Amino acid sequence: MIATEATPRITLPQLAQFAQGDLVVSTVPAHPPEREALLRSGVAGASIDTRTIAPGELFVPLPGAHTDGHAFLATAFERGAGAALCERSRYPEWQGREPGPLILVENATIGLILIAHRYRESWPGLMIGVTGSSGKTTTKELVAAAFATAAPTLKTEGNLNNHWGVPLTLMRLEPGHRVAVVEMAMNAPGEIEELTRVVMPGSGVITNAGRAHLERFGTIERVAHEKAALARALGAHETAFIGADSPALRDAVRGVKCRVVTYGLAADADIRPRAVEDLGPDGSRFEVEGFPPVHLRLIGRHMVANAMAAIAVTKTYGLDPEAVARSIETHAPARGRMELRRVRGATLLVDCYNANPDATRAALETLASWPGATHRLAVLGDMLELGERSAELHRETAAAARDADVWTVGRFADDTTAGARAAGLATRTFADREALREALRTALAPGWVVLVKASRGAALEKVLEGIEEDAG
Ligand SMILES: Nc1ncnc2c1ncn2[C@@H]1O[C@H](COP(=O)(O)OP(=O)(O)OP(=O)(O)O)[C@@H](O)[C@H]1O
Ligand SMILES: [Mg+2]
């Protein structure tokens, strides 16, 4: 099927104005109707990658490690780009042979952010920002799925949550959308505050403040303060939904002017589940006042907390509890996040998408409470970006394991092993993933339950390569 160009939502003159840049085209049509048509043309959406750009999108050339996006300007227009940003310093290469309408800016990333922000300003729907140390994507998906039962809802695709992903998401807003759920992450101090200015949320969800990114923030209080920027940006008639299981976060939002609704497993949370039943591989069942009983397919108690976010937000906005409960029930885990695999009768809990001390503790808890296991094993790799306390945090986290053997690999393997030993657990330390894979290959047996967990950068899922899953 040939894609048809979308109707422009931002015209060429608007692009130039929003980006505080200059519009250049190689030739301006002489006839007034054609000139008018050119000025009315523009873009719908934006892309930073010519391999996936859709016709009618704005192409944003970003500096890359190997090649600069400006090398692809002509390709972008061949693929149907409606316009492209071009940094002024790179314009001489294109001057006089512009492959399509260009908006000259000092910096393409800033240009994209400015355009996305101005475009978002004109969109009148309910904008919900989601941030926190862990559980952002899961929470974003659950909240968006719940709203989608009631109104056209835009959500962040996957994990596009940084200073490129957030504006690209905003550029996907359409006049028909009534709700948008946007994931926002930070890598450096001040980033949530900056993203909040771009996104202009009318409501915010902060999942927790954990020990992810301690490297750059130093203390958990500092992390909590950064996350709380989302709540500080909300007005008196707006609501922040705050993970109640995170004491530092609760402290950090004291004194904000918006309304605060807490959610989670804590006994004093405004929105909390009762009668939580752990169904192991089948997730959990729970009840919340005013909602029909819910069977959540996502595995682990922390996922119940994430589901509480969707319940808290939709309850505040008066959505139908039946529809919300059904949307939560049909939600399936995404690849790499607590995925269930079976190998020779053993159950593998593969959670190699992300890890920090809190997420790993939550996963270890899931392992310890897994029903029907004859033998439990935690295969733990590195948790990255924890800074100078890395070694200590690996020891502490492993010491929280119980009722399981602990096998470790990676830069912090010795620390993880030391922590597990201190907890009285049997351990094995491996020199590399290959050695660990061989040990796993021979050891796995019916009744074993094995957690495989590490940060994305550790690529711990590689220990499972070539280990065949059971059929069916
Ligand atoms: N509420 C929670 N508390 C602790 N850990 C959680 C929670 N929710 C999810 N996790 C764990 O965090 C990891 C990542 O989940 P998810 O992708 O939803 O988080 P994220 O915040 O979007 O991560 P990222 O920073 O990579 O975008 C998973 O391993 C999951 O088990
Ligand atoms: Mg995410």
Side-chain angles (χ1 to χ4, degrees):
M1 195 181 79
I2 296 171
T4 48
E5 206 161 305
T7 321
R9 294 195 287 267
I10 311 177
T11 64
L12 296 179
Q14 280 175 323
L15 279 176
Q17 190 202 352
F18 291 177
Q20 298 167 17
D22 296 304
L23 169 64
V24 286
V25 288
S26 50
T27 44
V28 178
H31 291 305
E34 287 165 25
R35 198 179 319 160
E36 273 296 301
L38 174 70
L39 290 176
R40 273 200 309 273
S41 75
V43 303
S47 168
I48 56 175
D49 188 340
T50 53
R51 286 164 302 185
T52 52
I53 194 167
E57 286 186 335
L58 171 72
F59 177 63
V60 182
L62 298 181
H66 303 293
T67 20
D68 186 289
H70 289 86
F72 300 101
L73 279 179
T75 314
F77 286 105
E78 280 160 24
R79 305 248 158 107
L85 299 186
C86 176
E87 295 188 354
R88 288 185 200 281
S89 63
R90 304 300 301 274
Y91 179 57
E93 297 160 41
W94 296 97
Q95 192 161 10
R97 51 182 202 96
E98 294 83 357
L102 299 180
I103 312 294
L104 304 189
V105 292
E106 298 306 326
N107 177 295
T109 304
I110 294 174
L112 169 65
I113 291 173
L114 289 170
I115 292 168
H117 170 62
R118 291 292 305 277
Y119 177 59
R120 182 268 171 268
E121 270 186 326
S122 66
W123 180 77
L126 170 63
M127 177 66 72
I128 303 173
V130 178
T131 193
S133 294
S134 41
K136 293 181 291 297
T137 297
T138 315
T139 302
K140 175 259 297 180
E141 293 290 334
L142 287 165
V143 171
F147 273 102
T149 64
T153 301
L154 175 78
K155 64 174 183 186
T156 299
E157 277 307 319
N159 204 35
L160 289 172
N161 58 20
N162 64 8
H163 55 293
W164 291 316
V166 169
L168 289 174
T169 303
L170 296 177
M171 292 292 283
R172 289 173 47 234
L173 281 169
E174 289 174 22
H177 286 131
R178 291 287 171 269
V179 182
V181 187
V182 176
E183 177 170 341
M184 298 157 67
M186 61 179 193
N187 280 309
E191 270 183 8
I192 293 297
E193 197 178 332
E194 279 167 28
L195 286 178
T196 300
R197 276 201 292 273
V198 178
V199 170
M200 303 170 62
S203 182
V205 182
I206 312 180
T207 58
N208 46 41
R211 285 166 292 184
H213 299 311
L214 269 190
E215 185 169 73
R216 298 192 192 91
F217 295 92
T219 66
I220 193 160
E221 287 73 23
R222 185 87 192 123
V223 173
H225 177 79
E226 290 290 333
K227 309 277 178 202
L230 178 54
R232 287 195 295 274
L234 299 175
H237 300 293
E238 297 169 334
T239 309
F241 300 88
I242 300 297
D245 304 313
S246 179
L249 179 61
R250 293 173 79 160
D251 284 345
V253 296
R254 283 214 177 96
V256 294
K257 53 185 180 299
C258 68
R259 189 175 158 236
V260 171
V261 172
T262 60
Y263 69 86
L265 303 175
D268 63 345
D270 296 326
I271 302 292
R272 61 182 182 279
R274 53 171 192 239
V276 182
E277 204 183 328
D278 190 338
L279 304 175
D282 296 323
S284 310
R285 214 189 315 267
F286 57 81
E287 290 178 26
V288 180
E289 203 174 314
F291 284 76
V294 179
H295 177 183
L296 175 71
R297 316 273 157 179
L298 304 180
I299 294 163
R301 268 181 107 80
H302 52 298
M303 291 299 173
V304 178
N306 296 339
M308 286 309 114
I311 293 202
V313 182
T314 54
K315 192 174 178 179
T316 296
Y317 287 96
L319 266 63
D320 172 29
E322 281 280 349
V324 170
R326 271 199 306 279
S327 79
I328 292 173
E329 291 207 337
T330 50
H331 199 77
R335 191 152 180 83
R337 293 190 184 89
M338 213 37 130
E339 241 184 286
L340 214 63
R341 297 189 203 169
R342 298 210 189 272
V343 176
R344 292 208 307 273
T347 301
L348 268 49
L349 310 176
V350 186
D351 201 2
C352 302
Y353 178 74
N354 190 347
N356 59 54
D358 301 292
T360 303
R361 270 173 202 249
L364 287 168
E365 198 45 49
T366 302
L367 174 66
S369 59
W370 200 264
T374 57
H375 185 87
R376 294 174 219 272
L377 169 65
V379 175
L380 301 177
D382 289 334
M383 299 183 287
L384 303 173
E385 299 184 20
L386 294 175
E388 53 192 38
R389 292 188 56 215
S390 287
E392 180 191 341
L393 287 166
H394 279 81
R395 283 196 298 274
E396 264 180 42
T397 305
R402 58 186 174 90
D403 296 334
D405 289 357
V406 175
W407 291 6
T408 65
V409 67
R411 204 145 44 101
F412 298 102
D414 289 338
D415 299 292
T416 305
T417 299
R421 287 229 177 104
L425 303 176
T427 61
R428 285 180 73 177
T429 313
F430 294 87
D432 51 35
R433 289 184 303 225
E434 289 65 36
L436 205 160
R437 182 195 301 142
E438 279 324 299
L440 260 186
R441 199 195 288 281
T442 47
L444 290 175
W448 277 45
V449 178
V450 183
L451 169 72
V452 185
K453 176 116 187 133
S455 281
R456 185 82 295 278
L460 192 59
E461 66 279 0
K462 293 214 161 115
V463 302
L464 301 174
E465 268 174 15
I467 299 187
E468 267 195 36
E469 288 180 53
D470 297 344

